Structures are given as structure tokens and as C-alpha cells.
Amino acid sequence: CLSFCLQCKEFTFHTGYEALVQRLLDGRKMCKDVEDLLKQRAQAEERYGKELIQIARKAGGQTEINTLKAAFERLKQQIESVGNSHIQLAVMLKDELKGIEEFRERQKEQRKKYESAMERMQKSKLSHYKKTMESKKTYEQKCKEADEAEQSFERTSASGNQKQTEKSQNKAKQCRDAANEAENVYKQNIEQLDKVRTEWEQEHIKTCEVFQLQECDRITILRNSLWVHCNQLSMQCVKDDELYEEVRVSLENCVVESDIDYFIKTKMTGTQPPDAIGYENYYSREPNRSNSSPTQSCGMMKRFSELLHGSSKNHTESAIPSAPPLGMPLQEITEKTDVVYASVFVNEQAGITSSQDYRVLYDYTAQNVDELDISEGDIVVVIEENEDGWWTAERNGQRGFVPGSYLKKL
């Protein structure tokens, strides 16, 4: 610390102290620079986090299915989690910023206290120095006057003029007394100035020690703050990677064949295309065909068409048979769905009339008043098996048509 005051040999200069104060002011500016950096970084992290959350919430993906959809949903969740973590990082940076601001203000108050004390001591020192220099000048002037008076007295004594000699002697004595008095004042001022200088030096050392501690604290605080800042950013990168690793794990579970099979299982209507429409000679038709009920044939034709291609009404999708359960082997699905396609021609002859118990394999919602609602696992009694694929079944006292391919004999 003493090196600051020993750099200048001039008594009235305070170059070392001024250099130290300037260093503290530069350190204060550095604190503000770090605060600005943390503030802008916190704003950027908060902006980034909010934008990530907005991106995640606006992302679509509702049209995708199965494992790829699950992976995409996981990605959206993790992006939102990353956004929240960056917002949390912004909060941590703001807290760190607040701590540096409070530290800087505490140092400012302490520095002002010692600067005020040093300013008073410097003013006192300069005032006594000025007074001492003036007394020195007076002392030197009185000494010169006394010397000149004594020299004049010696010359007058040599001339032999008694009266003039006495007059010169009195003047020499008065000048010498004035010189002695000026010397005493000068010595007193020197002593007082030395006392003030000692006090100033002690105050200077004390102030330099405090300022040095302030500088050590400032460097330590800023160093630790920057270190913590880098650690926070590193931890954020690790956390982001952990969140995205969950997405990668979900993508590893995304299997192309599985998604294709899932689509086939949920959307398939059968395994065979409809039979070709054959030519039918009007004159070669069976005689009893003309007597068949057109209403009944049309009704069965209509139901069969709906079963294959879906109803032409607004609820088209509900007319399509429900999907087979997930995980069912494709061969079993094929065996169960092959019977969906049947001959378009309606045979008026009744099918099997003996009652049989069947288990319902899939859900089916009635599309016409003469059809029956059934659910997977229900036990129904088949009254009649028609060749058009629609069987007459009975459940809980209710009777109606159901798709024969949806039933399995017990």
C-alpha cells in the first residue's frame, strides 16, 4: 500500500493516492460491465425459453400415428422443458446480478467514508504547509534584515559617531529580536506541520489498506461470479442434453414396420378385393327370382355395400368394422377378415336355422333399424346365417342383423 504514497516525493502531491482511487473507480466500472453482461444474458435466456415454449405448444403432429407420433410428442414435451429450464436459468442470473449490485453499492459507501476522511487530512496538511512556508519566508526575511542592521552598526561604530552608533545598535537589536521571534514561529509551524503529516500518513496507510481489501474483495467476487456463471451455462447444456436424450430413446423405439402394421390394422377393410360383376341374361334368370322381394334384396345389398365401403351418410367412418386388437398376428387377422367379402348376388334361400352361441370379436354399431348393436366379448345367439354375410342374431331379447365375420362360434 505504501508504494502508492512513496511514488511521489513532492510533499503536496497525492499522486499515489489518486492512482489508487482511480483504480477503485475502474473496478466499479468493471462491476457494472459484469452486471450488464449478466443482465443481457438473463434477458436472452428468458426470451429463448419463452420462444421454445411457444414453439412446442404450437407444434402440430396430430395427424401422425403410433410410435413416430409418440416420439414427436416426447420431443414437444422436452422442448417445453428445455424452455422452462432456460427461464429458470434467467432467474438465477438475475439473482447473481442483484448480488453484484448490492456488493458494488456497499463498496461505494465504504469508499466514500474513507475518501472524505482523506480529503479532510489532505486539506489540513496543505493548509499547514502553506502556513509553514509563509513563516519560513518571514523568518528568512527577518534574518536578512538583522544581518544588514548588524553590518550597518559595525560601519557606524568605525566612523566614531556616538549618536549614530547608538541608533544603529538599537536598530540591529530590534531586527535580531524580530528574527528570533520569526524563527520561533517558523519552528512551531514546522512542528505542527510534522504532526499533521504524521496523522495524514497514518490515515493514508489506513485508507490504502481498506482500499486494498476492497480491491481484493472485488476481484474475488467477480471471479467467483464469472465462474458460477460458466458453471450454470455448463449445467444448462448438460440438462438440455439429458432432456434431448429422452427424445432419442423415444426415437429408438420408433419402428417403421410397426407404424405400417398399425395403420393396416386400424384402417383395413379386408384382404380381398370385391368380385367382378358378372353378366346376367335377363331371360335365363330363375323363375322364382322374379318373385323375390326386391325390398329385402336391396336392403341386404345395401348393408353389404356399407360393410365393404362404408355408408354414404355423414357417419361413414362408424360404418366401417372396428379395428382388430393391437398385437394380433396378421395371419389371424386375415383369417377373420376374409369372410367379410361375399358374393354380391343375394340368395333368397334361408341359411342355417338352428340356434348357435357365438362370441363377438369386434364392436359394431347398428347403421339401420333392422341391425343389432354388439360389443366385443358379448355372447349372442345366431338364429340364421345368410349367405350375404349378414346373420340374424339375438342378444338380451333383441334381434337384428350383424356382420357374420364379427362372430366366432363357441
Side-chain angles (χ1 to χ4, degrees):
C1 297
L2 292 178
S3 60
F4 285 102
C5 62
L6 294 177
Q7 286 177 356
C8 181
K9 299 296 184 180
E10 194 67 32
F11 187 83
T12 57
F13 289 174
H14 307 100
T15 306
Y17 172 74
E18 291 172 355
L20 180 57
V21 171
Q22 184 60 45
R23 177 57 194 164
L24 295 181
L25 294 177
D26 294 340
R28 176 179 172 82
K29 185 179 182 303
M30 178 60 181
C31 287
K32 290 183 177 180
D33 292 341
V34 174
E35 292 169 17
D36 291 339
L37 183 145
L38 295 179
K39 181 178 180 180
Q40 294 179 16
R41 184 58 188 260
Q43 291 174 349
E45 292 291 341
E46 185 175 7
R47 257 192 329 268
Y48 178 61
K50 290 181 177 179
E51 288 178 358
L52 285 180
I53 293 175
Q54 188 176 11
I55 290 171
R57 292 179 178 177
K58 287 184 177 180
Q62 289 77 11
T63 58
E64 192 49 64
I65 61 173
N66 210 30
T67 58
L68 182 57
K69 181 177 182 179
F72 188 72
E73 291 296 326
R74 173 64 65 178
L75 175 61
K76 292 196 296 183
Q77 293 174 4
Q78 299 308 81
I79 289 177
E80 185 169 352
S81 298
V82 170
N84 288 326
S85 65
H86 279 274
I87 292 177
Q88 184 63 31
L89 174 60
V91 174
M92 296 170 61
L93 293 178
K94 290 179 181 179
D95 292 340
E96 187 71 21
L97 169 62
K98 185 178 179 181
I100 296 178
E101 289 176 347
E102 293 175 352
F103 169 76
R104 175 171 54 84
E105 290 302 319
R106 287 196 304 269
Q107 280 208 333
K108 177 183 177 182
E109 294 176 1
Q110 187 180 29
R111 188 183 71 253
K112 288 294 183 182
K113 176 182 176 182
Y114 282 91
E115 283 182 350
S116 298
M118 280 297 297
E119 185 177 357
R120 290 193 301 269
M121 293 301 300
Q122 288 174 357
K123 287 182 178 180
S124 177
K125 187 184 75 167
L126 292 176
S127 176
H128 280 81
Y129 175 78
K130 183 178 180 181
K131 184 178 180 181
T132 301
M133 292 300 100
E134 290 177 353
S135 64
K136 178 183 178 181
K137 185 177 179 181
T138 301
Y139 163 69
E140 291 175 349
Q141 182 64 32
K142 294 298 182 180
C143 287
K144 289 180 181 180
E145 292 177 357
D147 291 342
E148 290 177 356
E150 289 176 353
Q151 291 176 3
S152 177
F153 169 71
E154 290 177 358
R155 288 193 299 269
T156 304
S157 297
S159 63
N161 189 338
Q162 185 65 27
K163 185 176 180 179
Q164 190 68 26
T165 299
E166 292 179 359
K167 184 177 178 180
S168 295
Q169 185 179 6
N170 291 333
K171 183 177 180 181
K173 184 176 181 303
Q174 290 176 356
C175 289
R176 181 53 60 186
D177 291 339
N180 292 335
E181 184 179 356
E183 183 181 9
N184 292 332
V185 172
Y186 176 46
K187 288 180 178 180
Q188 290 177 359
N189 289 334
I190 285 292
E191 292 176 358
Q192 186 65 26
L193 178 61
D194 187 65
K195 181 180 179 180
V196 172
R197 183 197 64 79
T198 303
E199 293 176 355
W200 170 86
E201 184 175 327
Q202 292 175 352
E203 185 66 25
H204 189 117
I205 294 173
K206 181 180 178 181
T207 301
C208 287
E209 290 176 350
V210 172
F211 285 177
Q212 180 174 341
L213 290 176
Q214 277 199 342
E215 186 67 2
C216 291
D217 291 342
R218 183 191 68 82
I219 295 174
T220 302
I221 289 294
L222 292 184
R223 173 184 175 273
N224 293 342
S225 178
L226 296 177
W227 194 293
V228 170
H229 178 64
C230 293
N231 287 343
Q232 290 172 338
L233 298 182
S234 297
M235 291 174 62
Q236 183 63 45
C237 292
V238 173
K239 188 173 183 180
D240 289 352
D241 186 68
E242 290 177 352
L243 294 173
Y244 290 128
E245 179 62 24
E246 295 185 17
V247 180
R248 287 190 285 267
V249 171
S250 180
L251 289 172
E252 288 177 355
N253 297 327
C254 177
V255 182
V256 177
E257 294 79 4
S258 176
D259 284 8
I260 298 298
D261 291 343
Y262 180 84
F263 172 75
I264 293 174
K265 294 174 182 179
T266 55
K267 300 299 182 180
M268 71 181 303
T269 59
T271 59
Q272 297 294 331
D275 294 336
I277 303 299
Y279 169 74
E280 184 177 355
N281 192 314
Y282 177 79
Y283 297 99
S284 63
R285 290 184 301 178
E286 298 178 2
N288 61 350
R289 183 176 296 275
S290 59
N291 299 327
S292 62
S293 173
T295 303
Q296 182 179 3
S297 298
C298 290
M300 292 187 178
M301 290 282 286
K302 178 179 179 182
R303 284 196 297 271
F304 187 68
S305 177
E306 291 173 350
L307 179 62
L308 290 178
H309 306 293
S311 175
S312 60
K313 297 180 181 179
N314 293 334
H315 47 271
T316 303
E317 186 175 354
S318 62
I320 300 175
S322 302
L326 293 178
M328 182 179 293
L330 185 60
Q331 181 178 359
E332 184 178 348
I333 297 173
T334 305
E335 293 173 357
K336 292 185 178 182
T337 54
D338 282 346
V339 295
V340 173
Y341 294 94
S343 175
V344 176
F345 301 105
V346 178
N347 191 338
E348 298 299 332
Q349 295 179 357
I352 300 173
T353 58
S354 60
S355 298
Q356 296 288 338
D357 290 339
Y358 284 78
R359 181 183 299 278
V360 178
L361 299 178
Y362 315 117
D363 296 341
Y364 177 74
T365 303
Q367 304 298 313
N368 297 289
V369 295
D370 56 351
E371 296 175 358
L372 181 65
D373 290 334
I374 56 176
S375 300
E376 180 183 353
D378 289 348
I379 304 299
V380 298
V381 177
V382 175
I383 305 302
E384 183 177 4
E385 298 181 9
N386 298 311
E387 294 183 357
D388 61 356
W390 288 91
W391 296 358
T392 303
E394 181 177 340
R395 181 180 60 83
N396 298 332
Q398 296 182 352
R399 182 176 297 186
F401 291 107
V402 297
S405 60
Y406 281 37
L407 305 179
K408 180 180 180 181
K409 187 175 181 180
L410 294 178

